[in-house]
């Protein structure tokens, strides 16, 4: 059976010992023959990157009041290592992370740890880190001020969780390397995204718009991993924001892409995330999703229903269903070598040649600036009501910008018609030297770009790279949110609309042509089998963002008259399937121990061999809520929505926590509920 299921029918053997030995020898011969045909060495690994689940500002919506209060599902990093079997040194690692972005500081820390353990085997040249862009994860892991403002500064606990989990996922994939083959399949998914910036999209030339009749990018691309002809993993690329959960949510989640991966790994193939061998790994990676929203009604948390958690599951399941179909249909073998090119570009001052600008003249990019329409937010994630999208709608900033443009024609050429809100580049709040990466996996090419690209922008990038390589544009996939982060990336035509996405295109109107030019350079180098110029050093980026404004946990004490782990509210004695069991514990601050590769909660069923865990805080059916009681006391509420297929029997809920004493010592504790029946 496909899809990562390792169970099959046991063959019936007849004819005595001779026949058995003959069958065994034939099996070894067939296995050896299959192994000889396997072109690559392939490895898979999963790491737990769940950050601080309490009082950590969340990344994505820029809401100061949106701070973590628990976990709905854990965040994961899913790594895949590809190597040529005849030349294993030619390899790449591609990682998809349930995170809002990949910041340069995280990438550098991961590479430093890999270098310490593996020397030059992995480095910036052959490691591609990408984010799913979930808006339901904790932030504070950047070293640039802009991205830490609403998280009350740098959050070292969340930073460490990301770095450690990503590193572990790559190391596990490296240890998992074994002969295998790759297959690719392409299809369409039309009910999991909507264009949230339609007016800007309509500014593009008709030839570009005709490529997207519904103003969405329906392309879903799947890379299938095989060993012995059996699927053991997959990466799927599809463009839709991971924003099914609204700014009102304060529970950690991988959002719709995280659920899609969970659906395939845990619910379909039975992966145990706390076990060593995952069995099957499914990554749902992001592409050119700048103007693609999963909120089909274009309001926060809406579409196809008004329940944001139901929408997360539905949009995630649609991505899984399309990917699973492609897995079965993946008949196109991936052949060819493994290759990579990496370079750095100073996006604050790049000369763009006329062959890329489209107007017959060369232009320059500009120091980063945010427009007033950036502050207005997007249709499905609006900002303060006193800001509006579009030019001429923010009179105060429009007046200032017009004065600036009159004083500086060069600034006008690079940033107009943006109504400038904040010159974040000259303030040193964002990176200016950014990594670009082109990865070849046989006949598939990944464009690793550190920005959020619109669908037409992605189309132009793919066509640019494909032309230099002499391949079809469908052989090229834009891997957005890669290796660092610097906002949005629109076409020059979309930029002129100055919707949210254009206001967040920080380096000005010529940003996309600049990237087209630089990726054309990498592609030409790859086609000619020559090295690429490394570009300016990222050490030139300002990093004033490691300021920590929020103190850590001082100490814990249980509620008055209680002990850590004591049950404050017991579950009912009996539940029917579909009901929700709820237990409240006296607890401590969960940031004392993030329980990576573990869990704050266990739902257990009594069996003949003792208590067996059936769910933890990584499962869709559970929720872990933390609340402060007074100054130093905490409570934890564990809820478990009992699945329709739950076995009848006795159950209990276990909570694992850790308390910090005045001395700084941290002590683990456990609480256990009374038993209850299901059935």
């Amino acid at each position: 059976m496909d899809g990562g299921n390792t169970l099959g029918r046991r063959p019936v053997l007849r004819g005595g010992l001779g026949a058995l030995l003959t069958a065994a020898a034939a099996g070894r011969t067939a296995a050896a023959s299959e192994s000889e045909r396997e072109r690559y060495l392939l490895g898979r690994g999963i790491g737990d990157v769940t950050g601080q689940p309490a009082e950590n500002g969340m990344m994505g919506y820029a809401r100061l009041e949106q701070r973590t209060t628990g976990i709905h599902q854990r965040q994961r990093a899913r790594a895949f290592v590809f190597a040529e079997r005849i030349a294993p040194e030619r390899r790449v690692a591609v990682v998809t992370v349930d995170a809002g972005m990949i910041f340069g500081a995280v990438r550098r820390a991961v590479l430093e740890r890999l270098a310490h353990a593996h020397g030059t085997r992995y480095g910036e040249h052959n490691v591609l880190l990408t984010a799913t862009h979930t808006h339901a994860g904790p932030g504070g892991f950047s070293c640039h001020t802009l991205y830490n403002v609403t998280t009350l500064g740098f959050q070292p606990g969340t930073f460490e969780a990301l770095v450690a989990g990503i590193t572990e996922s790559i190391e596990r994939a490296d240890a998992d390397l074994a002969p295998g083959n790759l297959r690719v399949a392409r299809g369409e998914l039309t009910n999991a995204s909507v264009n949230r910036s339609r007016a800007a999209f309509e500014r593009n030339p008709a030839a570009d718009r005709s490529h997207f009749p519904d103003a969405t990018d329906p392309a879903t691309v799947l890379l299938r991993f095989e060993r012995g002809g059996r699927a053991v993993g997959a990466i799927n690329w599809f463009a839709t924001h991971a924003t099914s959960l609204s700014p009102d949510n304060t529970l950690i989640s991988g959002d719709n892409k995280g659920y899609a991966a969970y659906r395939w790994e845990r619910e379909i193939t039975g992966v145990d995330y706390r076990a060593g061998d995952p069995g099957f790994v499914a990554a749902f990676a992001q592409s050119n999703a700048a103007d693609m929203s999963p909120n089909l009604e274009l309001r926060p948390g809406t579409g196809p229903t008004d329940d944001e958690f139901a929408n997360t599951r539905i949009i995630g399941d649609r991505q899984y269903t399309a990917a699973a179909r492609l897995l079965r249909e993946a008949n196109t073998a991936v052949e060819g070598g493994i290759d990579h090119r990496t370079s750095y570009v100073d996006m604050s001052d790049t000369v763009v040649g006329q062959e890329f600008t489209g107007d017959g003249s060369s232009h320059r990019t500009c120091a980063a600036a945010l427009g007033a329409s950036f502050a207005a937010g997007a249709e499905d994630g609006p900002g303060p009501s006193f800001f509006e999208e579009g030019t001429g709608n923010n009179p105060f900033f429009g007046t200032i910008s017009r004065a600036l443009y009159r004083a500086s024609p060069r600034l006008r050429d690079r940033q107009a018609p943006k109504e400038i809100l904040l010159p974040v580049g000259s303030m040193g709040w964002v990176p200016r030297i950014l990594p670009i990466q082109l990865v070849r996996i046989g006949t598939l090419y990944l464009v690793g770009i550190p920005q959020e690209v619109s669908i037409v922008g992605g189309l132009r990038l793919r066509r640019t790279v494909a032309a230099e390589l002499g391949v079809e544009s469908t052989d090229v996939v834009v891997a957005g949110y890669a290796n660092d982060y610097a906002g949005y990336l629109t076409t020059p035509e979309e930029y002129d609309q100055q919707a949210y996405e254009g206001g967040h295109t920080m380096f000005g109107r010529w940003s996309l042509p600049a990237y087209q030019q630089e990726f054309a350079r990498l592609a030409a180098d790859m086609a000619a089998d020559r090295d690429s110029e490394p570009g300016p050093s990222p050490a030139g980026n300002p990093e004033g963002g490691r300021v920590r404004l929020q103190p850590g946990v001082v100490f814990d004490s249980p509620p008055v008259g209680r002990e850590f782990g004591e049950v404050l509210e017991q579950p009912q004695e009996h539940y029917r399937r579909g009901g929700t069991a709820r237990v409240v514990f006296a607890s401590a601050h969960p940031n004392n121990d993030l329980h990576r590769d573990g869990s704050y909660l266990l739902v257990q069923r009594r069996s003949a061999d003792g208590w067996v865990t059936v769910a933890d805080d990584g499962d869709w059916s559970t929720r872990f809520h933390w609340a402060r009681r007074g100054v130093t006391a905490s409570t934890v509420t564990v809820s478990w929505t009992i699945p329709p297929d739950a076995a009848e029997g006795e159950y209990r809920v276990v909570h694992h926590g850790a308390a910090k004493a005045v001395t700084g010592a941290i002590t683990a504790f456990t609480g256990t509920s009374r038993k209850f029946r299901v059935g």
Side-chain angles (χ1 to χ4, degrees):
M1 184 174 177
D2 232 339
N5 191 337
T6 59
L7 300 180
R9 295 182 178 179
R10 182 173 298 172
V12 178
L13 301 178
R14 297 183 175 89
L17 180 60
L20 179 62
L21 292 176
T22 300
R28 285 195 299 270
T29 302
S33 177
E34 178 65 31
S35 177
E36 289 170 1
R37 291 196 299 267
E38 291 176 322
R39 301 178 178 89
Y40 300 102
L41 294 175
L42 305 175
R44 314 142 305 145
I46 300 178
D48 186 346
V49 297
T50 310
Q52 297 178 154
E55 300 184 306
N56 194 131
M58 300 181 79
M59 174 56 69
Y61 290 116
R63 298 279 184 93
L64 184 62
E65 67 275 15
Q66 190 191 21
R67 305 168 73 193
T68 54
T69 61
I71 297 174
H72 185 220
Q73 287 195 291
R74 283 190 169 263
Q75 301 167 272
R76 313 282 180 188
R78 295 171 173 88
F80 298 85
V81 172
F82 309 79
E84 293 183 20
R85 192 169 180 186
I86 60 173
E89 69 280 1
R90 297 178 66 88
R91 68 176 62 197
V92 293
V94 177
V95 188
T96 299
V97 187
D98 289 333
M101 303 87 171
I102 297 296
F103 289 116
V106 170
R107 179 174 178 249
R108 285 191 297 277
V110 168
L111 295 179
E112 287 171 1
R113 296 189 188 187
L114 290 173
H116 180 74
H118 302 284
T120 59
R121 185 183 304 170
Y122 298 104
E124 62 182 15
H125 58 292
N126 68 342
V127 174
L128 174 61
L129 304 183
T130 68
T132 62
H133 201 45
T134 175
H135 285 40
F141 52 93
S142 174
C143 284
H144 292 101
T145 303
L146 178 65
Y147 306 113
N148 289 348
V149 169
T150 58
T151 60
L152 298 180
F154 185 70
Q155 299 287 345
T158 291
F159 178 88
E160 172 58 26
L162 273 168
V163 172
I166 293 170
T167 304
E168 288 166 1
S169 73
I170 297 171
E171 291 183 328
R172 290 166 181 169
D174 182 83
D176 183 61
L177 281 169
N181 279 325
L182 299 167
R183 296 183 185 273
V184 67
R186 299 171 179 86
E188 291 192 352
L189 174 59
T190 58
N191 60 354
S193 63
V194 63
N195 196 311
R196 70 182 193 185
S197 193
R198 187 65 178 260
F201 170 82
E202 294 295 342
R203 282 180 173 263
N204 291 302
D208 286 346
R209 298 198 311 272
S210 66
H211 195 78
F212 306 107
D214 297 322
T216 64
D217 185 354
T220 174
V221 180
L222 182 119
L223 187 61
R224 168 183 164 128
F225 293 71
E226 293 182 355
R227 288 179 182 167
R230 180 176 60 88
V232 296
I235 308 178
N236 176 254
W237 289 272
F238 176 71
T240 195
H241 257 69
T243 53
S244 292
L245 293 172
S246 75
D248 295 329
N249 169 62
T250 55
L251 298 181
I252 290 174
S253 169
D255 209 276
N256 55 65
K257 287 187 177 289
Y259 176 76
Y262 170 85
R263 170 78 171 135
W264 206 341
E265 292 170 346
R266 179 88 168 129
E267 295 184 340
I268 301 300
T269 63
V271 169
D272 183 351
Y273 292 115
R274 291 179 292 124
D277 180 10
F280 188 82
V281 179
F284 284 79
Q286 199 55 272
S287 186
N288 37 238
D291 45 358
M292 295 293 97
S293 172
N295 297 306
L296 304 183
E297 302 299 326
L298 285 180
R299 299 192 311 277
T302 62
T305 77
D306 289 330
D307 182 330
E308 61 186 296
F309 286 94
N311 294 338
T312 300
R313 180 182 57 78
I314 292 168
I315 298 297
D317 186 65
R318 289 175 179 177
Q319 291 178 72
Y320 153 71
T321 300
R325 182 180 67 250
L326 291 178
L327 188 87
R328 295 189 296 270
E329 298 172 356
N331 295 320
T332 304
V334 173
E335 298 178 343
I338 303 297
D339 206 353
H340 43 76
R341 295 293 184 279
T342 300
S343 185
Y344 287 90
V345 180
D346 185 349
M347 283 300 297
S348 71
D349 189 21
T350 293
V351 177
V352 188
Q354 62 183 14
E355 63 270 36
F356 295 98
T357 62
D359 69 353
S361 300
S362 62
H363 295 277
R364 281 183 182 268
T365 58
C366 187
L370 294 172
S373 55
F374 155 80
E379 283 80 349
D380 59 342
S385 59
F386 48 83
F387 286 102
E388 293 187 28
E389 292 185 271
T391 58
N393 294 328
N394 301 280
F396 176 75
F397 296 103
T399 300
I400 293 175
S401 297
R402 285 190 294 273
L404 290 171
Y405 294 148
R406 282 195 300 269
S408 175
R410 287 191 302 175
L411 181 64
R412 181 177 64 243
D413 174 68
R414 300 171 190 183
Q415 287 283 12
K418 181 184 289 176
E419 295 171 344
I420 295 175
L421 172 67
L422 284 174
V424 289
S426 60
M427 296 165 70
W429 281 20
V430 295
R432 63 181 181 85
I433 299 171
L434 293 165
I436 59 171
Q437 190 171 22
L438 180 61
V439 168
R440 178 191 179 191
I441 303 169
T443 49
L444 186 68
Y445 298 85
L446 305 180
V447 174
I449 189 167
Q451 297 197 239
E452 308 188 40
V453 192
S454 69
I455 59 174
V456 175
L459 176 65
R460 293 183 188 177
L461 278 169
R462 291 191 292 108
R463 286 174 170 172
T464 297
V465 169
E468 293 291 342
L469 292 169
V471 301
E472 298 295 326
S473 62
T474 51
D475 294 326
V476 183
V477 173
V478 172
Y481 311 88
N483 296 327
D484 207 335
Y485 183 75
Y488 278 69
L489 186 63
T490 57
T491 67
E493 297 90 341
E494 292 164 347
Y495 183 88
D496 290 344
Q497 179 68 24
Q498 279 300 291
Y500 167 75
E501 294 80 7
H504 200 172
T505 299
M506 295 189 291
F507 301 107
R509 192 175 191 273
W510 307 106
S511 298
L512 177 64
Y515 277 115
Q516 288 179 262
Q517 172 181 279
E518 298 306 307
F519 274 106
R521 171 173 60 87
L522 293 191
D525 291 340
M526 183 175 286
D529 196 25
R530 62 174 176 253
D531 293 339
S532 292
E533 290 295 325
S537 170
N541 283 326
E543 286 197 356
R546 283 207 190 224
V547 177
R548 186 181 185 187
L549 302 177
Q550 181 179 1
V553 180
V554 180
F555 69 94
D556 296 289
S557 62
V560 177
R562 303 288 190 169
E563 296 181 356
F564 292 119
E566 186 175 346
V567 178
L568 304 180
E569 295 182 29
Q570 292 282 4
Q572 300 174 18
E573 293 183 354
H574 179 264
Y575 294 92
R576 295 186 182 277
R577 296 175 184 89
T580 299
R582 180 176 179 273
V583 187
V584 181
F585 295 90
S587 193
H589 205 293
N591 293 358
N592 292 327
D593 182 349
L594 302 187
H595 292 279
R596 284 195 323 102
D597 287 326
S599 180
Y600 290 100
L601 69 92
L602 301 174
V603 178
Q604 297 182 325
R605 179 176 56 83
R606 188 192 291 276
S607 72
D609 298 322
W611 290 99
V612 177
T613 297
V614 298
D616 59 30
D617 63 14
D619 282 291
W620 181 261
S621 60
T622 65
R623 297 190 190 184
F624 170 79
H625 284 269
W626 170 87
R628 185 181 292 280
R629 180 178 290 189
V631 178
T632 59
S634 300
T635 61
V636 158
T637 301
V638 175
S639 58
W640 178 49
T641 300
I642 301 166
D645 59 351
E648 183 176 338
E650 280 191 335
Y651 289 80
R652 69 182 186 182
V653 173
V654 178
H655 165 47
H656 293 304
K660 186 175 184 179
V662 176
T663 62
I666 294 177
T667 303
F669 63 85
T670 297
T672 305
S673 77
R674 72 182 183 188
K675 298 182 289 293
F676 58 91
R677 286 201 63 81
V678 169

